[in-house]
Amino acid sequence: MPSPQIRPLDLADDATAAAVHRIGRAAYAVEAELIGFHGIPALGESLPQMRAQALNWVGAVSEGGELAGFLAWEQETGGGVCIDRLCVAPAWFRRGVASLLLRHALTELFPGRPVEVTTGAANAPAVALYERLGFTRGPDFSPAPGLRMASFGVRSGSGASR
């Protein structure tokens, strides 16, 4: 089966926004179980709240037009990038979609720029993904009681080919 193609996503389109919202909620529900914390902000985010985020969006779209996953980021002062969301539809888990999205972002969207991302420290699949793609783990932190987050950083283009 061919890999999904990476395309910009326009959340002004109702069907696209609904698909992104549905996939995000499903993916974050799985992460909530993995990390034992059900207060992930995106889980309670409404569709209008999600659309109001000042983020850039790309998606992995199958040959049949199905959205398999997405990545959203914001530009930071000084040229860096902060990845806000990297979500894959559960039906597409373990098929390389997150790696495809992240590699594309690092090599095509922001080559040579510093990139930061956080994930639940107990989210072993996400931690392994970031480490495999050359991210360096920074300090863990706890933004809420019962939640431990891991921070990662990389200069894009430096480890994305693995």
Side-chain angles (χ1 to χ4, degrees):
M1 172 170 39
S3 290
Q5 298 297 306
I6 306 300
R7 298 185 186 148
L9 297 177
D10 179 5
L11 270 59
D13 176 76
D14 290 340
T16 299
V20 167
H21 190 249
R22 182 181 67 253
I23 290 168
R25 290 182 67 124
Y28 283 120
V30 172
E31 182 175 20
E33 289 298 320
L34 287 173
I35 67 174
F37 181 81
H38 295 273
I40 297 171
L43 276 174
E45 188 176 67
S46 70
L47 181 57
Q49 288 170 326
M50 182 196 72
R51 283 174 131 168
Q53 299 292 322
L55 299 172
N56 303 287
W57 303 82
V58 293
V61 181
S62 75
E63 194 173 83
E66 176 187 3
L67 184 62
F70 63 85
L71 184 140
W73 73 94
E74 59 186 341
Q75 310 291 333
E76 299 207 316
T77 308
V81 174
C82 180
I83 295 174
D84 187 80
R85 302 158 197 237
L86 175 57
C87 297
V88 174
W92 286 85
F93 280 3
R94 305 197 55 75
R95 293 167 67 181
V97 173
S99 295
L100 179 71
L101 283 161
L102 202 49
R103 281 189 182 103
H104 176 84
L106 294 173
T107 60
E108 302 296 324
L109 300 175
F110 21 86
R113 294 168 63 190
V115 180
E116 297 175 350
V117 66
T118 61
T119 190
N123 184 344
V127 168
L129 170 70
Y130 296 126
E131 290 175 343
R132 186 172 65 250
L133 292 183
F135 283 76
T136 300
R137 188 162 179 168
D140 288 2
F141 62 99
S142 184
L147 176 60
R148 192 167 56 95
M149 299 292 291
S151 63
F152 293 88
V154 70
R155 174 142 317 256
S156 63
S158 65
S161 61
R162 290 185 212 165

